[in-house]
Amino acid sequence: MDDLVVVGAGPYGLSIAAHAAAAGLGVRVLGRPMASWRDHMPEGMYLKSEPWSSNLSAPGGRYTLAEYCATRGLAAEHGSPLPIGTFSAYGLWFARHAGLPEVEEATVTEVAPEGDGFRVRTVEGPPLLARTVALAVGVMPFTHYPRALRDLPPDHFSHSSGHRDLSRFAGQDVAVLGAGQAALETAALLAESGARPVLVARRSRLNWNTVPQPLRRPALRALRDPHSGLGTGWRSWAWSELPWAVRRLPATTRERIAATALGPAGAWWLRDRFEGRVPALMGHRLHRAVAVGGRTRLGLTAVGGESVVLDTAHVIAATGFAPRLARLDLLDARLRSALTTVGDADAPELGPGFESSWPGLFFAGLLTAPSFGPSMRFVHGAGFTAGRLVKGVRKRLGARGPLPGPTGGVRPVRAAAGHPETYLR
């Protein structure tokens, strides 16, 4: 029985595994490394966050994005957007160098209770047994579509996360739904690939991030408008640096913060590529979608109440992700229904170590935002999560008593390089 099985090998899963291995835990990591970044983002996309705030987490702050870029002769500079491909390659480099075990590219189909631990089933092999499990499944189980699209034939619509190559839409009309970075950048890339995109958004206007201020500034200016991993300003600083404080707020307040903080906005460097190149129907709500031959007819309602019909070849929903426990099919239904949730949100209520109400079951990433705030929606949140979650795992393992060794005694836990062998007692 493994001490910890990490389900997911994105920034959160890899960071947790690095901390667990350094702590001497027997850990296994299941999933395709950096899958969301490698498989579900179009060529030509850029990282929205600053390079210095996009690090995976290893003990001692090692194996940063800047360190990786330096080994490749690449620039990782403040105010200079980094290609998604570079970030994906960084994640793979981190997985090889940060001391975690080799990632097992297994597809997990079920996590269920088994005795005092868990049984983890995969497509590829026999079940694994684990004393604790950390679910770091990323965003892909939670893709969100407007209800009006759901009765269309599958080839008439898609999610923005479903494309690696947008050149297939060259010469076609494409409606892009949404007003955030994914919608704006997808629309810009479509236009640059020879498609004819149009943006459709419920918001009355687009929001654009401002050009970041220099890292080195006069003290008064820095105090008035501090930098943080989630942007500039005291509000962003609070979400970035104080997730532990967010968790102490009432559940209804945390729900509201998770749903509304750091709303949709486009990166400053994208604005010139979008404006003047992509027409936008702002303040239009989608209420109907009908397939007409090989095309799709969208029924829109404008703010003033007038109806608009938009005819298009394809619809791309850049409408984000809806983190709901009910959509986590790999989690045993009995276990899932037993979890304490945050207020009215279908998200697990978590302790300070990211442990759910089911002992030994831990969560990381998007589903933890209603507990710890909007930082958990970004790579930056991995730095807060990894060490605390592993500390919670060690506490849980200690609470369950000694691990049986070959002769029934206390089993030694694999020590990290440079650390003396330790024992769980």
Side-chain angles (χ1 to χ4, degrees):
M1 185 175 278
D2 296 299
D3 295 330
L4 171 65
V5 168
V6 180
V7 180
Y12 281 82
L14 296 176
S15 297
I16 291 164
H19 282 263
L25 299 181
V27 57
R28 296 176 74 169
V29 190
L30 309 181
R32 177 168 161 78
M34 303 295 287
S36 296
W37 305 85
R38 296 165 64 191
D39 304 334
H40 297 281
M41 294 189 188
E43 293 285 349
M45 273 197 165
Y46 283 82
L47 198 63
K48 187 183 181 186
S49 57
E50 294 295 329
W52 56 265
S53 66
S54 305
N55 297 313
L56 277 64
S57 179
R62 300 182 61 197
Y63 309 108
T64 64
L65 179 55
E67 183 180 343
Y68 167 76
C69 288
T71 66
R72 300 298 190 275
L74 303 173
E77 300 173 352
H78 178 71
S80 181
L82 202 70
I84 288 293
T86 300
F87 182 72
S88 300
Y90 160 60
L92 300 179
W93 174 85
F94 181 96
R96 293 193 301 269
H97 291 85
L100 57 153
E102 184 176 356
V103 178
E104 303 170 50
E105 293 205 22
T107 303
V108 175
T109 58
E110 183 186 47
V111 175
E114 180 79 18
D116 199 27
F118 301 89
R119 180 184 66 250
V120 181
R121 294 189 184 277
T122 69
V123 171
E124 291 77 8
L128 288 69
L129 297 179
R131 301 194 81 204
T132 64
V133 170
L135 295 178
V137 295
V139 299
M140 293 311 299
F142 310 115
T143 50
H144 174 68
Y145 295 93
R147 186 174 299 278
L149 298 181
R150 296 175 188 174
D151 293 331
L152 286 175
D155 59 340
H156 282 240
F157 72 103
S158 57
H159 195 268
S160 57
S161 63
H163 301 284
R164 283 289 294 144
D165 182 7
L166 292 171
S167 65
R168 57 168 283 207
F169 295 108
Q172 299 184 43
D173 301 312
V174 182
V176 180
L177 309 182
Q181 176 70 8
L184 299 172
E185 195 169 8
T186 297
L189 287 169
L190 283 166
E192 293 165 358
S193 298
R196 296 185 296 273
V198 59
L199 188 84
V200 180
R202 293 179 298 177
R203 290 175 171 264
S204 58
R205 65 181 182 87
L206 296 174
N207 293 325
W208 295 96
N209 298 134
T210 58
V211 178
Q213 299 179 28
L215 287 176
R216 295 181 179 274
R217 299 170 291 161
L220 184 59
R221 188 177 174 188
L223 181 64
R224 185 173 59 247
D225 216 11
H227 282 301
S228 79
L230 301 183
T232 306
W234 280 107
R235 189 180 294 272
S236 294
W237 184 91
W239 305 146
S240 173
E241 306 304 320
L242 304 176
W244 59 268
V246 174
R247 183 186 157 272
R248 297 184 180 182
L249 297 173
T252 53
T253 303
R254 286 185 275 129
E255 283 183 78
R256 186 181 70 253
I257 290 171
T260 62
L262 304 176
W268 62 272
W269 44 261
L270 180 63
R271 192 166 188 171
D272 288 343
R273 293 169 53 195
F274 180 89
E275 292 183 338
R277 293 172 171 83
V278 179
L281 291 173
M282 305 305 299
H284 285 69
R285 184 180 295 271
L286 175 67
H287 63 82
R288 188 164 181 247
V290 180
V292 181
R295 295 178 68 83
T296 300
R297 190 165 295 164
L298 301 180
L300 309 174
T301 304
V303 174
E306 64 270 22
S307 296
V308 177
V309 176
L310 179 64
D311 184 78
T312 188
H314 192 81
V315 182
I316 295 180
T319 44
F321 306 89
R324 302 284 185 270
L325 277 170
R327 303 183 70 178
L328 203 56
D329 294 334
L330 62 81
L331 197 57
D332 174 76
R334 180 173 68 90
L335 190 162
R336 189 171 61 232
S337 64
L339 293 175
T340 301
T341 55
V342 179
D344 294 329
D346 188 19
E349 182 72 82
L350 303 173
F354 289 82
E355 187 174 21
S356 69
S357 58
W358 191 286
L361 181 64
F362 295 77
F363 287 85
L366 195 59
L367 273 172
T368 71
S371 288
F372 290 95
S375 179
M376 304 299 113
R377 295 172 8 213
F378 301 89
V379 172
H380 183 71
F384 177 86
T385 302
R388 288 169 176 81
L389 188 149
V390 169
K391 183 178 179 181
V393 168
R394 296 183 71 184
K395 182 177 180 180
R396 173 54 56 192
L397 292 175
R400 287 180 174 175
L403 300 173
T407 58
V410 175
R411 179 173 69 78
V413 178
R414 181 170 57 83
H419 294 269
E421 188 174 55
T422 57
Y423 294 81
L424 286 179
R425 296 190 180 277

